[in-house]
Amino acid sequence: MASELETREWKTVKIERKGDGITFLYMNRPEKRNAMNPTMCFEMCDILDLLTDDKETRVIVLTGAGEAWTAGMDLREFFRELDGNPAGRRKAAAANKEWAFTKLRMNPKPTIAMVNGYCFGGGFSKLIACDIAIAADDSIFGLSEINWGIFPAGGLARVLDDAMSLRDAMYYSMTGEPFDGKKASEMRLITMSVPRDQLIAKTLEVAKVLSAKNPVVLSAAKIAHKTARRMDYWEADEYTMAKSIAMVAQDPEKGRNEGMKQFLDEKRYRPGLGNYIREDKK
Ligand code: COA
């Protein structure tokens, strides 16, 4: 039976299944360069909930329809049209934060930002929320808020610190100067950049590696890392050890035992060079 993912008429988002448990999630307003309006924020909250529970999805790839990844927040619908409408502003802002900082950043499934073009302003919070980011070399990034009279506020100001050095964040948020995918990779804002004609193939290659891993362990790995990185040493130690025990208890395929058995007893693989064999587990 088709799920709501397929049957609902989405206005600003869409999905595409790529096989191997990989689902592309599109910001889908190509005529507006995928600028994020309130509808997109609400729909992203809903569709990410559905993808989180979707059995066919093991990796979520966030990308943009057409020539842009996203031109950032929609200046007309998210900003100007909500001036004087505090209730509308509050709801849209809450949905914008919710999809970036909760439903994407802490999604139990691995997420990849596949940046296929422009990435401006509010797009950075979604970019940084994804676990891995791969961009075309000629993508254009920009903290462009300063260019139209605001600055990167809200949670964005905070998450810039997760992925940019103080020097880079200050320079680009104060000058609004655009930079390309190669520069974004050099600064480590993204994981890597590749020539445009290799973007999809490289993303699928990485996504396939993730989709072949034990999903319970993968989920614990990303959530534990993102949660622990701001704790002090003792808190992080306690929390990750407890999380690790919970993970082992929740893992139906008992990957830790299986991994050790296949290496130590059966000599079927080498953990340093690749994953234990779980063909029959998926
Ligand atoms: N908000 C609202 N509308 C936007 C938008 C945004 N952030 N970005 C693009 N659009 C709209 C344009 O108004 C235009 O609409 P129209 O066809 O009804 O006139 C359409 O998308 C295409 O934009 P256009 O500027 O003609 O496309 P382009 O390819 O020449 O340039 C950009 C693309 C992204 C460089 C340019 O649109 C731009 O600078 N956008 C704003 C980026 C930004 O600063 N975002 C930060 C927001 S926090």
Side-chain angles (χ1 to χ4, degrees):
M1 201 178 72
S3 79
E4 193 182 339
L5 278 166
E6 275 87 11
T7 56
R8 181 161 152 185
E9 285 192 21
W10 303 99
K11 292 190 178 69
T12 60
V13 299
K14 68 173 179 181
I15 63 157
E16 195 179 352
R17 298 189 185 278
K18 294 290 192 182
D20 293 306
I22 300 160
T23 303
F24 278 17
L25 169 59
Y26 288 88
M27 296 175 271
N28 189 27
R29 299 180 74 212
E31 71 292 347
K32 299 290 183 189
R33 307 298 180 261
N34 304 318
M36 295 175 282
N37 61 1
T39 305
M40 189 187 288
C41 296
F42 296 128
E43 287 195 334
M44 276 295 182
C45 286
D46 291 349
I47 204 164
L48 280 162
D49 272 347
L50 293 169
L51 286 171
T52 302
D53 292 331
D54 178 44
K55 292 196 169 33
E56 287 174 53
T57 299
R58 293 198 298 276
V59 182
I60 300 168
V61 175
L62 179 66
T63 192
E67 63 198 75
W69 197 63
T70 174
M73 305 319 296
D74 188 305
L75 270 61
R76 185 187 306 279
E77 293 186 42
F78 195 91
F79 288 102
R80 187 198 274 169
E81 288 180 2
L82 293 180
D83 284 349
N85 176 359
R89 157 92 16 98
R90 186 188 56 72
K91 285 180 192 143
N96 182 45
K97 284 180 199 138
E98 183 68 9
W99 87 266
F101 301 134
T102 306
K103 297 187 188 292
L104 196 57
R105 180 170 180 272
M106 300 307 267
N107 196 289
K109 296 181 178 178
T111 53
I112 301 177
M114 184 177 85
V115 183
N116 55 307
Y118 294 121
C119 172
F120 287 114
F124 274 58
S125 57
K126 288 74 186 179
L127 175 78
I128 294 168
C130 289
D131 306 321
I132 290 170
I134 305 173
D137 287 339
D138 60 356
S139 307
I140 300 292
F141 296 76
L143 286 167
S144 53
E145 287 88 343
I146 194 90
N147 295 339
W148 64 277
I150 68 167
F151 65 93
L156 178 53
R158 168 66 184 78
V159 295
L160 284 181
D161 188 47
D162 286 343
M164 295 180 91
S165 74
L166 177 67
R167 289 285 172 232
D168 290 330
M170 295 311 294
Y171 182 80
Y172 288 103
S173 63
M174 291 176 76
T175 64
E177 187 179 299
F179 52 92
D180 67 11
K182 284 186 176 172
K183 181 73 188 171
S185 174
E186 192 185 307
M187 288 191 282
R188 308 309 297 140
L189 168 62
I190 60 172
T191 315
M192 68 185 86
S193 84
V194 295
R196 175 162 294 275
D197 61 0
Q198 293 167 29
L199 180 63
I200 294 176
K202 186 67 200 178
T203 304
L204 287 174
E205 184 189 318
V206 174
K208 278 182 194 167
V209 171
L210 297 175
S211 90
K213 300 275 180 210
N214 179 328
V216 174
V217 182
L218 199 52
S219 175
K222 66 171 273 188
I223 300 294
H225 184 77
K226 287 182 174 179
T227 307
R229 68 190 296 270
R230 297 272 163 195
M231 293 176 176
D232 71 28
Y233 178 86
W234 298 110
E235 287 166 344
D237 183 54
E238 281 298 320
Y239 158 74
T240 52
M241 290 315 290
K243 177 89 179 165
S244 169
I245 291 164
M247 176 201 74
V248 169
Q250 286 165 343
D251 180 10
E253 69 182 60
K254 302 291 170 221
R256 185 176 177 277
N257 294 350
E258 187 66 29
M260 286 193 286
K261 182 174 73 151
Q262 288 186 17
F263 177 54
L264 298 175
D265 307 332
E266 300 169 356
K267 305 208 179 304
R268 289 173 77 192
Y269 85 118
R270 289 183 167 75
L273 304 179
N275 207 75
Y276 70 85
I277 298 139
R278 53 181 303 274
E279 280 314 310
D280 51 336
K281 312 280 185 194
K282 288 183 218 161

